[in-house]
Amino acid sequence: MNYDVVIGIEIHCELKTKTKMFSGSECKFGAQSNTCVNEIDLGHPGTLPCVNKEAIKKAIQACAAFNLKIDPLLKFDRKNYYYSDLPKGFQITQQFFPIGKDGYVMIDCDGERKKIRINRIHVEEDTAKQFHLDDETLIDFNRAGTPLIEIVSEPDMKNGKEAAAYVEVLRQTLLYIGVSDVKMEEGSMRCDVNISLNRKGEGFGVKNEIKNLNSIANVQKAIDYEIERQSKILDEGGIIEQATRRFDESSKTTVLMRKKEGSVDYKFFSEPNIFPIRLDDEWIKSIIDNLEELPDEKRERFKNQYDLTDYDIKVLINNKSLACVFEEVMKFTKNSKACANWLITDVLAWLSKNNVSLENSSMKPEHLALMINMIDDKIISTTQAKDVVLKEVMEGRNPEDVASEKGLKQVSDESSILKLINEVLDEQPQSIIDYSNGKDRAVGFLMGQLMKKSKGQANPGVANKLLVEALKSRIIK
């Protein structure tokens, strides 16, 4: 039986701020446990929260990028529940007054462009992190109070591929505008997926929630499996029970965590220690006006500005650092196609082989551009660049110095090359006879001798042309 699939996604994204949402504690991933926490984060008596202005700025940037209507009246609420990773016994959030409402993003999936609506974005604080051992649980409070935005979609996605495309658009955009580092492997972006299957004409089905998906690939895999699982139950006449599940990477299946019998009463009420704050309209406008270039805008500009294929543009846009370096290199060369090719293939391969990030490499954009120009000007060959020069450029050296030091510069002067050709032909009379008898391989042999005599510096294109002409001339004589 066919079913209507309904998918909505809630994304928790840590904001890229130096301090926490309501305290001056440092936000630092990987720090020693329980060293980035203070009395406010732990909810000690007598402590009061103070709103992080930079976090609000980044939330506004996210709202603007995703076309949400921004509420200039900032209000917070308390979400009351007890759990060991929630030191205060409540979470400060925006249940009733989200900072942004009614937005959307556009995704490309299977060659079609589709709008995915966003219901809301609200600001809140993160919980502590738990480590479950065999007989005990350890808690690291470093994460407690870290600024978050929660991005809640409308149920507009119909399959795992669309959901993955949606998450990727959000991830890429948040990275481009500097709102978050969106490192899913570090937990700075986490996805909860709600999915239900509906029999056609029978209204909404019962949803299951898949918690804390930590990669875009797992979002698609978990949804695809859950569609298959729920379809099988319904096909067999069973009933879907509301539940919370997790994705098991080893088995590529979803696993039951707990069943839900109803909604939890969090006893929401307005946060009494943070009065409503009226955000200045001019401040909001300045944030929106100074928003960094969005991925779609950069993609369109690359299409119009550079001679690149759609594939080149896609690879560059998907890697913000690579796109930035591409534009830096293009300040010193006109060959955009060669620039993209070198970055996408050889540069990335060198970085991967040497376990170096692009940001931490010693390569200077002007040096890579100079190497590309030297190839275009036939000063060095592409082979020489790949085999010798690139390594030195990646280590911060000037390609002109490398070429001079290693004797790589090509000779294109015809008189100099012709002199070497005549020397080779004088030394290889049999090859002239072979060529006159139609043995074209003689040209290859003679080119090899010529390159050896020139120590690899003769311009191959010029040399080959002059060699053939010289051979014909000698045959006529």
Side-chain angles (χ1 to χ4, degrees), residues 252-280:
K252 303 294 188 292
T253 63
T254 62
V255 179
L256 179 67
M257 293 174 65
R258 57 185 178 272
K259 292 184 179 180
K260 287 188 177 181
E261 297 181 355
S263 60
V264 178
D265 182 5
Y266 291 111
K267 299 180 175 63
F268 286 103
F269 60 83
S270 296
E271 169 54 52
N273 292 325
I274 304 176
F275 290 169
I277 301 169
R278 169 69 65 175
L279 301 177
D280 182 73

PDB file of all heavy atoms in Angstrom, residues 252-280:
ATOM      1  N   LYS A 252      22.330   0.310  10.839  1.00  0.00           N
ATOM      2  CA  LYS A 252      21.585   1.196   9.919  1.00  0.00           C
ATOM      3  C   LYS A 252      20.083   1.088  10.157  1.00  0.00           C
ATOM      4  O   LYS A 252      19.266   1.129   9.238  1.00  0.00           O
ATOM      5  CB  LYS A 252      21.904   0.851   8.455  1.00  0.00           C
ATOM      6  CG  LYS A 252      23.380   0.908   8.098  1.00  0.00           C
ATOM      7  CD  LYS A 252      23.924   2.307   8.183  1.00  0.00           C
ATOM      8  CE  LYS A 252      25.344   2.415   7.652  1.00  0.00           C
ATOM      9  NZ  LYS A 252      26.334   1.708   8.491  1.00  0.00           N
ATOM     10  N   THR A 253      19.704   0.955  11.443  1.00  0.00           N
ATOM     11  CA  THR A 253      18.291   0.864  11.814  1.00  0.00           C
ATOM     12  C   THR A 253      17.986   1.881  12.917  1.00  0.00           C
ATOM     13  O   THR A 253      18.897   2.410  13.559  1.00  0.00           O
ATOM     14  CB  THR A 253      17.934  -0.538  12.339  1.00  0.00           C
ATOM     15  OG1 THR A 253      18.687  -0.797  13.542  1.00  0.00           O
ATOM     16  CG2 THR A 253      18.262  -1.601  11.304  1.00  0.00           C
ATOM     17  N   THR A 254      16.696   2.133  13.140  1.00  0.00           N
ATOM     18  CA  THR A 254      16.306   2.950  14.284  1.00  0.00           C
ATOM     19  C   THR A 254      15.929   2.028  15.436  1.00  0.00           C
ATOM     20  O   THR A 254      15.346   0.963  15.226  1.00  0.00           O
ATOM     21  CB  THR A 254      15.129   3.880  13.942  1.00  0.00           C
ATOM     22  OG1 THR A 254      13.990   3.101  13.594  1.00  0.00           O
ATOM     23  CG2 THR A 254      15.496   4.807  12.788  1.00  0.00           C
ATOM     24  N   VAL A 255      16.262   2.459  16.653  1.00  0.00           N
ATOM     25  CA  VAL A 255      16.080   1.627  17.844  1.00  0.00           C
ATOM     26  C   VAL A 255      15.202   2.379  18.836  1.00  0.00           C
ATOM     27  O   VAL A 255      15.382   3.581  19.063  1.00  0.00           O
ATOM     28  CB  VAL A 255      17.446   1.297  18.489  1.00  0.00           C
ATOM     29  CG1 VAL A 255      17.258   0.453  19.741  1.00  0.00           C
ATOM     30  CG2 VAL A 255      18.351   0.594  17.484  1.00  0.00           C
ATOM     31  N   LEU A 256      14.255   1.663  19.448  1.00  0.00           N
ATOM     32  CA  LEU A 256      13.332   2.283  20.403  1.00  0.00           C
ATOM     33  C   LEU A 256      14.086   2.778  21.637  1.00  0.00           C
ATOM     34  O   LEU A 256      14.866   2.049  22.243  1.00  0.00           O
ATOM     35  CB  LEU A 256      12.258   1.277  20.821  1.00  0.00           C
ATOM     36  CG  LEU A 256      11.236   1.778  21.849  1.00  0.00           C
ATOM     37  CD1 LEU A 256      10.366   2.873  21.244  1.00  0.00           C
ATOM     38  CD2 LEU A 256      10.386   0.618  22.368  1.00  0.00           C
ATOM     39  N   MET A 257      13.845   4.032  22.006  1.00  0.00           N
ATOM     40  CA  MET A 257      14.383   4.584  23.256  1.00  0.00           C
ATOM     41  C   MET A 257      13.300   4.594  24.340  1.00  0.00           C
ATOM     42  O   MET A 257      13.491   4.103  25.437  1.00  0.00           O
ATOM     43  CB  MET A 257      14.891   6.010  23.037  1.00  0.00           C
ATOM     44  CG  MET A 257      16.112   6.106  22.134  1.00  0.00           C
ATOM     45  SD  MET A 257      16.561   7.833  21.756  1.00  0.00           S
ATOM     46  CE  MET A 257      17.026   8.428  23.384  1.00  0.00           C
ATOM     47  N   ARG A 258      12.153   5.154  23.986  1.00  0.00           N
ATOM     48  CA  ARG A 258      11.038   5.197  24.939  1.00  0.00           C
ATOM     49  C   ARG A 258       9.743   5.449  24.181  1.00  0.00           C
ATOM     50  O   ARG A 258       9.748   6.077  23.128  1.00  0.00           O
ATOM     51  CB  ARG A 258      11.250   6.281  26.000  1.00  0.00           C
ATOM     52  CG  ARG A 258      11.453   7.672  25.432  1.00  0.00           C
ATOM     53  CD  ARG A 258      11.770   8.683  26.533  1.00  0.00           C
ATOM     54  NE  ARG A 258      12.019  10.011  25.981  1.00  0.00           N
ATOM     55  CZ  ARG A 258      13.195  10.459  25.577  1.00  0.00           C
ATOM     56  NH1 ARG A 258      14.261   9.654  25.664  1.00  0.00           N
ATOM     57  NH2 ARG A 258      13.334  11.678  25.095  1.00  0.00           N
ATOM     58  N   LYS A 259       8.650   4.961  24.724  1.00  0.00           N
ATOM     59  CA  LYS A 259       7.339   5.208  24.146  1.00  0.00           C
ATOM     60  C   LYS A 259       6.741   6.461  24.755  1.00  0.00           C
ATOM     61  O   LYS A 259       6.982   6.785  25.918  1.00  0.00           O
ATOM     62  CB  LYS A 259       6.407   4.017  24.379  1.00  0.00           C
ATOM     63  CG  LYS A 259       6.822   2.767  23.605  1.00  0.00           C
ATOM     64  CD  LYS A 259       5.816   1.644  23.781  1.00  0.00           C
ATOM     65  CE  LYS A 259       6.233   0.412  22.969  1.00  0.00           C
ATOM     66  NZ  LYS A 259       5.274  -0.696  23.132  1.00  0.00           N
ATOM     67  N   LYS A 260       5.985   7.173  23.955  1.00  0.00           N
ATOM     68  CA  LYS A 260       5.341   8.394  24.427  1.00  0.00           C
ATOM     69  C   LYS A 260       3.840   8.151  24.571  1.00  0.00           C
ATOM     70  O   LYS A 260       3.177   7.763  23.620  1.00  0.00           O
ATOM     71  CB  LYS A 260       5.590   9.541  23.441  1.00  0.00           C
ATOM     72  CG  LYS A 260       7.019  10.080  23.461  1.00  0.00           C
ATOM     73  CD  LYS A 260       7.128  11.323  22.608  1.00  0.00           C
ATOM     74  CE  LYS A 260       8.522  11.924  22.682  1.00  0.00           C
ATOM     75  NZ  LYS A 260       8.647  13.152  21.869  1.00  0.00           N
ATOM     76  N   GLU A 261       3.329   8.388  25.770  1.00  0.00           N
ATOM     77  CA  GLU A 261       1.899   8.201  25.998  1.00  0.00           C
ATOM     78  C   GLU A 261       1.138   9.519  25.915  1.00  0.00           C
ATOM     79  O   GLU A 261      -0.079   9.552  25.881  1.00  0.00           O
ATOM     80  CB  GLU A 261       1.674   7.538  27.358  1.00  0.00           C
ATOM     81  CG  GLU A 261       2.285   6.134  27.428  1.00  0.00           C
ATOM     82  CD  GLU A 261       2.037   5.477  28.764  1.00  0.00           C
ATOM     83  OE1 GLU A 261       1.472   6.150  29.648  1.00  0.00           O
ATOM     84  OE2 GLU A 261       2.390   4.302  28.922  1.00  0.00           O
ATOM     85  N   GLY A 262       1.852  10.612  25.911  1.00  0.00           N
ATOM     86  CA  GLY A 262       1.216  11.924  25.830  1.00  0.00           C
ATOM     87  C   GLY A 262       2.264  13.003  25.893  1.00  0.00           C
ATOM     88  O   GLY A 262       3.442  12.729  26.056  1.00  0.00           O
ATOM     89  N   SER A 263       1.838  14.248  25.780  1.00  0.00           N
ATOM     90  CA  SER A 263       2.797  15.340  25.813  1.00  0.00           C
ATOM     91  C   SER A 263       3.179  15.653  27.259  1.00  0.00           C
ATOM     92  O   SER A 263       2.365  15.559  28.180  1.00  0.00           O
ATOM     93  CB  SER A 263       2.204  16.583  25.148  1.00  0.00           C
ATOM     94  OG  SER A 263       1.030  16.976  25.829  1.00  0.00           O
ATOM     95  N   VAL A 264       4.431  16.034  27.455  1.00  0.00           N
ATOM     96  CA  VAL A 264       4.929  16.379  28.783  1.00  0.00           C
ATOM     97  C   VAL A 264       4.508  17.806  29.124  1.00  0.00           C
ATOM     98  O   VAL A 264       4.573  18.699  28.286  1.00  0.00           O
ATOM     99  CB  VAL A 264       6.473  16.259  28.835  1.00  0.00           C
ATOM    100  CG1 VAL A 264       6.999  16.658  30.213  1.00  0.00           C
ATOM    101  CG2 VAL A 264       6.894  14.851  28.473  1.00  0.00           C
ATOM    102  N   ASP A 265       4.073  18.011  30.367  1.00  0.00           N
ATOM    103  CA  ASP A 265       3.715  19.358  30.809  1.00  0.00           C
ATOM    104  C   ASP A 265       4.955  20.008  31.409  1.00  0.00           C
ATOM    105  O   ASP A 265       5.376  19.679  32.519  1.00  0.00           O
ATOM    106  CB  ASP A 265       2.593  19.287  31.857  1.00  0.00           C
ATOM    107  CG  ASP A 265       2.147  20.678  32.302  1.00  0.00           C
ATOM    108  OD1 ASP A 265       2.641  21.662  31.718  1.00  0.00           O
ATOM    109  OD2 ASP A 265       1.320  20.768  33.224  1.00  0.00           O
ATOM    110  N   TYR A 266       5.534  20.936  30.654  1.00  0.00           N
ATOM    111  CA  TYR A 266       6.753  21.604  31.110  1.00  0.00           C
ATOM    112  C   TYR A 266       6.466  22.837  31.970  1.00  0.00           C
ATOM    113  O   TYR A 266       7.389  23.510  32.408  1.00  0.00           O
ATOM    114  CB  TYR A 266       7.599  22.016  29.901  1.00  0.00           C
ATOM    115  CG  TYR A 266       8.198  20.840  29.160  1.00  0.00           C
ATOM    116  CD1 TYR A 266       7.758  20.498  27.892  1.00  0.00           C
ATOM    117  CD2 TYR A 266       9.214  20.081  29.733  1.00  0.00           C
ATOM    118  CE1 TYR A 266       8.317  19.426  27.197  1.00  0.00           C
ATOM    119  CE2 TYR A 266       9.780  19.012  29.056  1.00  0.00           C
ATOM    120  CZ  TYR A 266       9.318  18.695  27.786  1.00  0.00           C
ATOM    121  OH  TYR A 266       9.885  17.633  27.115  1.00  0.00           O
ATOM    122  N   LYS A 267       5.170  23.107  32.206  1.00  0.00           N
ATOM    123  CA  LYS A 267       4.780  24.246  33.049  1.00  0.00           C
ATOM    124  C   LYS A 267       5.509  25.538  32.635  1.00  0.00           C
ATOM    125  O   LYS A 267       6.152  26.203  33.428  1.00  0.00           O
ATOM    126  CB  LYS A 267       5.036  23.937  34.527  1.00  0.00           C
ATOM    127  CG  LYS A 267       4.234  22.743  35.054  1.00  0.00           C
ATOM    128  CD  LYS A 267       4.523  22.484  36.527  1.00  0.00           C
ATOM    129  CE  LYS A 267       3.631  21.376  37.058  1.00  0.00           C
ATOM    130  NZ  LYS A 267       3.888  20.079  36.393  1.00  0.00           N
ATOM    131  N   PHE A 268       5.414  25.842  31.348  1.00  0.00           N
ATOM    132  CA  PHE A 268       6.050  27.050  30.826  1.00  0.00           C
ATOM    133  C   PHE A 268       5.489  28.302  31.501  1.00  0.00           C
ATOM    134  O   PHE A 268       4.281  28.403  31.743  1.00  0.00           O
ATOM    135  CB  PHE A 268       5.802  27.173  29.322  1.00  0.00           C
ATOM    136  CG  PHE A 268       6.608  26.218  28.478  1.00  0.00           C
ATOM    137  CD1 PHE A 268       6.025  25.089  27.928  1.00  0.00           C
ATOM    138  CD2 PHE A 268       7.949  26.467  28.217  1.00  0.00           C
ATOM    139  CE1 PHE A 268       6.760  24.223  27.140  1.00  0.00           C
ATOM    140  CE2 PHE A 268       8.691  25.613  27.424  1.00  0.00           C
ATOM    141  CZ  PHE A 268       8.098  24.489  26.880  1.00  0.00           C
ATOM    142  N   PHE A 269       6.355  29.232  31.815  1.00  0.00           N
ATOM    143  CA  PHE A 269       5.921  30.565  32.213  1.00  0.00           C
ATOM    144  C   PHE A 269       7.033  31.553  31.870  1.00  0.00           C
ATOM    145  O   PHE A 269       8.179  31.161  31.619  1.00  0.00           O
ATOM    146  CB  PHE A 269       5.546  30.642  33.698  1.00  0.00           C
ATOM    147  CG  PHE A 269       6.656  30.295  34.655  1.00  0.00           C
ATOM    148  CD1 PHE A 269       7.626  31.236  35.026  1.00  0.00           C
ATOM    149  CD2 PHE A 269       6.710  29.032  35.236  1.00  0.00           C
ATOM    150  CE1 PHE A 269       8.630  30.914  35.927  1.00  0.00           C
ATOM    151  CE2 PHE A 269       7.714  28.706  36.133  1.00  0.00           C
ATOM    152  CZ  PHE A 269       8.682  29.650  36.486  1.00  0.00           C
ATOM    153  N   SER A 270       6.726  32.833  31.832  1.00  0.00           N
ATOM    154  CA  SER A 270       7.696  33.850  31.463  1.00  0.00           C
ATOM    155  C   SER A 270       8.874  33.840  32.427  1.00  0.00           C
ATOM    156  O   SER A 270       8.686  33.733  33.646  1.00  0.00           O
ATOM    157  CB  SER A 270       7.052  35.237  31.459  1.00  0.00           C
ATOM    158  OG  SER A 270       6.057  35.311  30.463  1.00  0.00           O
ATOM    159  N   GLU A 271      10.096  33.954  31.869  1.00  0.00           N
ATOM    160  CA  GLU A 271      11.301  33.991  32.706  1.00  0.00           C
ATOM    161  C   GLU A 271      11.285  35.264  33.553  1.00  0.00           C
ATOM    162  O   GLU A 271      11.378  36.378  33.016  1.00  0.00           O
ATOM    163  CB  GLU A 271      12.543  33.940  31.807  1.00  0.00           C
ATOM    164  CG  GLU A 271      13.851  34.220  32.500  1.00  0.00           C
ATOM    165  CD  GLU A 271      14.107  33.340  33.709  1.00  0.00           C
ATOM    166  OE1 GLU A 271      14.005  32.096  33.584  1.00  0.00           O
ATOM    167  OE2 GLU A 271      14.389  33.917  34.769  1.00  0.00           O
ATOM    168  N   PRO A 272      11.175  35.130  34.887  1.00  0.00           N
ATOM    169  CA  PRO A 272      11.020  36.322  35.728  1.00  0.00           C
ATOM    170  C   PRO A 272      12.284  37.163  35.881  1.00  0.00           C
ATOM    171  O   PRO A 272      12.201  38.336  36.243  1.00  0.00           O
ATOM    172  CB  PRO A 272      10.600  35.734  37.089  1.00  0.00           C
ATOM    173  CG  PRO A 272      11.187  34.345  37.093  1.00  0.00           C
ATOM    174  CD  PRO A 272      11.111  33.875  35.674  1.00  0.00           C
ATOM    175  N   ASN A 273      13.450  36.574  35.592  1.00  0.00           N
ATOM    176  CA  ASN A 273      14.709  37.293  35.794  1.00  0.00           C
ATOM    177  C   ASN A 273      15.224  38.007  34.539  1.00  0.00           C
ATOM    178  O   ASN A 273      16.295  38.600  34.561  1.00  0.00           O
ATOM    179  CB  ASN A 273      15.784  36.338  36.311  1.00  0.00           C
ATOM    180  CG  ASN A 273      15.486  35.862  37.719  1.00  0.00           C
ATOM    181  OD1 ASN A 273      14.946  36.618  38.530  1.00  0.00           O
ATOM    182  ND2 ASN A 273      15.809  34.602  38.009  1.00  0.00           N
ATOM    183  N   ILE A 274      14.472  37.900  33.435  1.00  0.00           N
ATOM    184  CA  ILE A 274      14.846  38.627  32.216  1.00  0.00           C
ATOM    185  C   ILE A 274      13.621  39.400  31.733  1.00  0.00           C
ATOM    186  O   ILE A 274      12.664  38.816  31.217  1.00  0.00           O
ATOM    187  CB  ILE A 274      15.336  37.677  31.103  1.00  0.00           C
ATOM    188  CG1 ILE A 274      16.506  36.813  31.582  1.00  0.00           C
ATOM    189  CG2 ILE A 274      15.752  38.482  29.873  1.00  0.00           C
ATOM    190  CD1 ILE A 274      16.982  35.785  30.565  1.00  0.00           C
ATOM    191  N   PHE A 275      13.616  40.695  31.936  1.00  0.00           N
ATOM    192  CA  PHE A 275      12.498  41.514  31.478  1.00  0.00           C
ATOM    193  C   PHE A 275      12.486  41.557  29.948  1.00  0.00           C
ATOM    194  O   PHE A 275      13.529  41.393  29.301  1.00  0.00           O
ATOM    195  CB  PHE A 275      12.619  42.931  32.022  1.00  0.00           C
ATOM    196  CG  PHE A 275      12.395  43.037  33.504  1.00  0.00           C
ATOM    197  CD1 PHE A 275      12.682  44.212  34.183  1.00  0.00           C
ATOM    198  CD2 PHE A 275      11.882  41.979  34.224  1.00  0.00           C
ATOM    199  CE1 PHE A 275      12.480  44.317  35.551  1.00  0.00           C
ATOM    200  CE2 PHE A 275      11.672  42.066  35.586  1.00  0.00           C
ATOM    201  CZ  PHE A 275      11.974  43.234  36.258  1.00  0.00           C
ATOM    202  N   PRO A 276      11.333  41.749  29.334  1.00  0.00           N
ATOM    203  CA  PRO A 276      11.276  41.904  27.871  1.00  0.00           C
ATOM    204  C   PRO A 276      12.203  43.019  27.406  1.00  0.00           C
ATOM    205  O   PRO A 276      12.313  44.069  28.060  1.00  0.00           O
ATOM    206  CB  PRO A 276       9.806  42.250  27.609  1.00  0.00           C
ATOM    207  CG  PRO A 276       9.074  41.644  28.766  1.00  0.00           C
ATOM    208  CD  PRO A 276       9.995  41.804  29.944  1.00  0.00           C
ATOM    209  N   ILE A 277      12.881  42.785  26.274  1.00  0.00           N
ATOM    210  CA  ILE A 277      13.847  43.732  25.723  1.00  0.00           C
ATOM    211  C   ILE A 277      13.375  44.162  24.338  1.00  0.00           C
ATOM    212  O   ILE A 277      13.157  43.321  23.459  1.00  0.00           O
ATOM    213  CB  ILE A 277      15.248  43.102  25.618  1.00  0.00           C
ATOM    214  CG1 ILE A 277      15.719  42.643  27.000  1.00  0.00           C
ATOM    215  CG2 ILE A 277      16.243  44.073  24.995  1.00  0.00           C
ATOM    216  CD1 ILE A 277      16.978  41.774  26.944  1.00  0.00           C
ATOM    217  N   ARG A 278      13.215  45.459  24.148  1.00  0.00           N
ATOM    218  CA  ARG A 278      12.836  45.977  22.832  1.00  0.00           C
ATOM    219  C   ARG A 278      14.115  46.219  22.027  1.00  0.00           C
ATOM    220  O   ARG A 278      14.928  47.059  22.374  1.00  0.00           O
ATOM    221  CB  ARG A 278      12.050  47.281  22.970  1.00  0.00           C
ATOM    222  CG  ARG A 278      11.823  48.044  21.673  1.00  0.00           C
ATOM    223  CD  ARG A 278      10.858  47.338  20.729  1.00  0.00           C
ATOM    224  NE  ARG A 278       9.512  47.259  21.264  1.00  0.00           N
ATOM    225  CZ  ARG A 278       8.482  46.778  20.577  1.00  0.00           C
ATOM    226  NH1 ARG A 278       8.675  46.324  19.337  1.00  0.00           N
ATOM    227  NH2 ARG A 278       7.284  46.706  21.135  1.00  0.00           N
ATOM    228  N   LEU A 279      14.304  45.435  20.968  1.00  0.00           N
ATOM    229  CA  LEU A 279      15.493  45.569  20.135  1.00  0.00           C
ATOM    230  C   LEU A 279      15.362  46.790  19.228  1.00  0.00           C
ATOM    231  O   LEU A 279      14.286  47.036  18.666  1.00  0.00           O
ATOM    232  CB  LEU A 279      15.684  44.305  19.276  1.00  0.00           C
ATOM    233  CG  LEU A 279      15.829  42.981  20.041  1.00  0.00           C
ATOM    234  CD1 LEU A 279      15.925  41.815  19.062  1.00  0.00           C
ATOM    235  CD2 LEU A 279      17.058  43.006  20.954  1.00  0.00           C
ATOM    236  N   ASP A 280      16.430  47.531  19.099  1.00  0.00           N
ATOM    237  CA  ASP A 280      16.429  48.736  18.284  1.00  0.00           C
ATOM    238  C   ASP A 280      16.267  48.377  16.804  1.00  0.00           C
ATOM    239  O   ASP A 280      16.991  47.522  16.272  1.00  0.00           O
ATOM    240  CB  ASP A 280      17.742  49.498  18.496  1.00  0.00           C
ATOM    241  CG  ASP A 280      17.772  50.791  17.717  1.00  0.00           C
ATOM    242  OD1 ASP A 280      17.074  51.739  18.113  1.00  0.00           O
ATOM    243  OD2 ASP A 280      18.495  50.840  16.701  1.00  0.00           O
TER     244      ASP A 280
END
